[in-house]
Amino acid sequence: MALQAVDKQEQAERETAARAYVAEDETHYIRYLDDCVKTSVDTMREIRLQQDECWRVYNEEEPRNFNFKELWQSRITYPKPYKLVQTGMAFVRKAFDVDFLSIENELDDEAALFWEELMTVQLSRNYANFPIQFVDAVGMSLAIGQSMEMIPVYHPGKGLRYILVEPWKIHRDPDAVSRQPQSGAYWIHQEFMPYNVLKEWEKSGRFKNIVDIGPGSSWYSRTPDLTAEQLAQRKGMVYSKSAFQKSLQVLEFWGTILSPRGETVMPNATFTGAGGRVIGEPKPSPYPTLRWPGIGFSALPHLLRFDGRGLIHGIRSLWYLMCNMMSLHADHLNWTVNPMLEVDISSLVDQSDTDVYPGKVFQTYGSQQGQQVVRAVDLKSAANELIAMMNFYDMRHQDGGLLDYTTMGSPGYRAEVTKGEAAQNLEQSMTIVGSIGKNLEDGAINSIMAGAETVAINITYEELTAVMGPEWRELIDSYRVPVSDEFPTGLNLPKLTTGRFHVSGITSLMKEREKLQQMQTLIMPLFDPGNLGQVFLPYLKPGGYLNEIVRLTKLTDSKFSIEPAKAEAIDKAQQDQQDAKIGSQQAQEAAQAAQVQADAERKAAEAAKLQAEAEEKMAKAGTLEAQAELHRAKAELAIAQAGKANREGEMEEEAAGPSPVEIAQAERVQALLPHETDLARQRVESERAITEANWARAQAAANPPPAPEPTPEEIELARQKVETEKALTKLNLARAKTAANPPKPVVAAKKPKGGA
C-alpha cells in the first residue's frame, strides 16, 4: 500500500487529533482493532487450518483417525516429516554459519563499513544470535509454509534481540503482497501478556487502563450488566495458567488508522488495546522506513498472497496412508503370531473349557474323521506386497517433499548407482534447494534491516562506543548530535536507504562448493610440474590459490597457512623468479636459433659444394663416356685390323705357316679384346650411376633437412670411391691406348721356295 510522505508538522497535528479522538470515542479504536482482526481471521481461516494440520504432521502426531482404533490395534506413526524439515533447516544452518553479512554503499564506503561492523557484532552469538533465530524461523516456514515472525527489540545494555512469534498470532491485512512483509494496511500482534507485567508497565507510564483480571476479579464473571456473548468474549481474553498467574490478551496495532467514516487518521501509526480498552495511545511509527517491526517470509511463497507452501503440504495424505499401512501390517502380524483357533467343541470332554494358554491340555473324545479338535486358522502373508507398496509410497514422498534422499545424503532405495549418476542426481536435486535459498535470503535481509533500524533508534552514544571500540570513536563522534525529539538518543547514524545489504546464504554456499569443485578439477592439475605445470605454472599463484581454499572451506581459524600479505609477497617473488627463468630460456632459445641458422647456412654451402662436385663428376663421367666410345671404336678398329692381320696371317700361314709363338700372341690379343670392351662399358655405366647418386645427394643437401648429415663412415666410403674412380679411369685410359695401338701381329717369314 503506497503511502504519501507526511511532513513533521502535519504528523504532529495528526497525532494530537488522534489522541484527542481516543478521549472522545475510545470504543472506535477498539471496534476498528477488532474489525481488522476479524477480517484477517475470516480470510485466513482455511489457510490456518491447513497450517495447523501441517504443524501436527511435522510433529508426527497420530493421525486423527487413530482415535477410533480399538485398544489391540496398532498406532504407528511413520518417522518422515520431521526429518524432512530438519534436513532443510540443516542446509540453512550451515549456510548462515560465519561471515554471512556484507553491506555495500557506493555513495559512502565509510558508512557501509560502519554498519557492517556494528551489525556483525549485534547479530553475533553474544547478542541477537541471528543464525540460530533465523533457522528456527525457517523451520516453521518449511513445516507450514509461513515463517515465525521475527520481531527485533533492543534492550539497553544488552543490545539487539529477536522475538520469534507464531504466524497464527500475527493478523495481517489480507491484501498483503507476496514476498513483501511491509505491504498491506495493517499488522496486528496478538499475545497473552502476564497480568503482573502489565501492571508494572502501567505504573511506569507505558500503558494505562489495564483492566483488573487478578484473583477475585469480577471483570470476566457473570453479572447482570453482561450478555452471554460479552461474557464469552471477556473469558476468551483471559488465560489462567494457575490460580494466581493470569494473562490478558493484548493486541498491538501497526499501520493505517481510519476514522468511523473510513478516512485516514494516521497513515503510519501504532496503538495497543487490551480488555476492550486502549492501553497504549496512538503515536507515529518510530522507525525511519519500517511500518511495523515484524518480518515474515516463506521458503516457497504463494504467487497471489503473502503466505506460502511448506514441504509438508503435498505429503500430508501420503503420510497418513503410510502410517495406516504400517499399522495394518502390525495388526496382521498380531494375527499371524497369535492366530485364531478353530475348536470342535463337540469332541471336547469339557465343552466349557475353551481357554488357550501355553501347555494347555485338551481332553477330547476324538473326532470321527481323525482331525484335530483345536487347530489354527492360517492367514496369507502380505509382507511382500506391503514392502513393495511402502517403497512406492516412499518414492512419492520424496517427490512431494522436494528434498529427496540424494539431497539428504542418504543412499536411497537403489543399491547400485554409478558415481556420475550420483553426481548428476545431486546437482539436479540441489536446484530446488538453490531456489529455496534465494527466497530465504530475502527474508534474512529484511530481518537484518529491521534489526538495523531498531538499533539505530535505540542505541546511545555510550553503548555504541562500548560496542565498536576506541578505533571507531572519531567516526562515532561525527554522528553525535544534541538530544531532541528527532534524535532522542543523541546520534544521527547514516541512513540505511542508500546502502545495499547482502546475505551470503544457501545460494552462496552452493556457489562456493561448486567453485571449490571446479578448482579441484581444473586448477589443481595445473600445479603439477611434471605435467601441465610445465606450461601453466608461470601463470599461477600458489598463495592466492591456498587462501581461496581456506576461504571457501571456512578454515579461517586454522593455522596451517600464512597471512595473505605474506603469501602475496611470496607469489610476487616466485613470479619474478619465473620471469627471470623465462628470460634466460628465451635468450638460450635465441642462441639456439642462431646456431640452427648458422648450421643451416653451413649445410647450404656444403650442399652447393656437393652440387658443384656432382656437376664436375658428371662432366668427368661424360668425358669418360666419350673416351669409352673412343676406346670402343679403337677396339673395334683393332679387332678389324686384328681380323685383317689374322686373315693375312692365315693366307701366309697357308703359304708358309706361322710360328707357334706368333700364333699364341695373336690368340691372347684376340681373347682380351672382347673382355676389355665389356669392362670399359661396365665402367662407364658404373660412373653414370655414381654420378646420378651424387647429383641426388647434392639436391638433397641443397634442400635440408630431410637428409641427415653424412656420417664419418659415409664420408670415408665416398673418399674411397673417388680414389677408386681415379684409379679405374687411369686404367681405362691405359687400356684404351693399348687397344688403340695394338701390337702388330708377328707374321712368320716366308720360307724360300726350294730351300733345303
Side-chain angles (χ1 to χ4, degrees), residues 20 156 418 536:
T418 63
F536 294 99

Side-chain angles (χ1 to χ4, degrees), residues 324-459:
N324 287 322
M325 289 287 291
M326 294 290 289
S327 299
L328 289 173
H329 179 60
D331 293 340
H332 186 271
L333 290 178
N334 287 334
W335 291 109
T336 303
V337 177
N338 299 303
M340 295 179 291
L341 299 177
E342 182 180 1
V343 181
D344 184 5
I345 60 175
S346 63
S347 299
L348 294 176
V349 175
D350 184 1
Q351 296 184 358
S352 63
D353 185 13
T354 57
D355 294 336
V356 180
Y357 51 84
K360 171 66 180 281
V361 176
F362 288 94
Q363 294 182 351
T364 65
Y365 296 115
S367 61
Q368 295 179 357
Q369 285 85 17
Q371 295 180 355
Q372 288 180 302
V373 176
V374 180
R375 52 185 177 271
V377 178
D378 293 333
L379 295 177
K380 181 181 178 182
S381 175
N384 293 333
E385 291 81 356
L386 177 72
I387 293 174
M389 292 306 299
M390 288 299 292
N391 287 335
F392 176 75
Y393 294 155
D394 189 68
M395 288 187 286
R396 302 289 74 76
H397 187 281
Q398 293 183 62
D399 293 339
L402 301 181
L403 300 181
D404 57 11
Y405 285 140
T406 304
T407 309
M408 296 180 184
S410 301
Y413 61 91
R414 289 181 56 189
E416 297 181 357
V417 180
T418 63
K419 180 180 178 181
E421 184 180 0
Q424 183 179 4
N425 291 340
L426 178 60
E427 182 179 0
Q428 294 176 352
S429 300
M430 294 302 291
T431 303
I432 184 65
V433 177
S435 177
I436 293 175
K438 276 292 185 182
N439 298 330
L440 296 180
E441 287 171 11
D442 290 343
I445 291 175
N446 292 330
S447 302
I448 293 173
M449 292 188 65
E453 289 202 9
T454 302
V455 171
I457 64 176
N458 287 281
I459 195 169

Side-chain angles (χ1 to χ4, degrees), residues 103-116 475 478-479 492-495 498-500:
I103 301 176
E104 301 175 0
N105 190 339
E106 299 177 355
L107 301 179
D108 192 347
D109 293 335
E110 192 175 45
L113 184 61
F114 166 78
W115 273 114
E116 183 173 351
L475 180 62
S478 65
Y479 299 148
N492 182 17
L493 299 180
K495 303 301 181 183
T498 58
R500 182 169 63 251

Side-chain angles (χ1 to χ4, degrees), residues 84-118:
L84 179 64
V85 174
Q86 289 298 318
T87 301
M89 294 175 64
F91 281 116
V92 181
R93 180 66 187 90
K94 183 178 181 181
F96 288 88
D97 192 9
V98 293
D99 299 334
F100 59 88
L101 174 66
S102 63
I103 301 176
E104 301 175 0
N105 190 339
E106 299 177 355
L107 301 179
D108 192 347
D109 293 335
E110 192 175 45
L113 184 61
F114 166 78
W115 273 114
E116 183 173 351
E117 182 70 19
L118 177 59

Side-chain angles (χ1 to χ4, degrees), residues 478-497:
S478 65
Y479 299 148
R480 196 171 186 180
V481 295
V483 177
S484 62
D485 293 338
E486 185 178 0
F487 305 107
T489 62
L491 290 173
N492 182 17
L493 299 180
K495 303 301 181 183
L496 297 172
T497 54

Side-chain angles (χ1 to χ4, degrees), residues 254-269:
W254 293 78
T256 303
I257 301 177
L258 301 180
S259 67
R261 297 179 58 84
E263 299 173 348
T264 301
V265 177
M266 295 184 70
N268 193 13

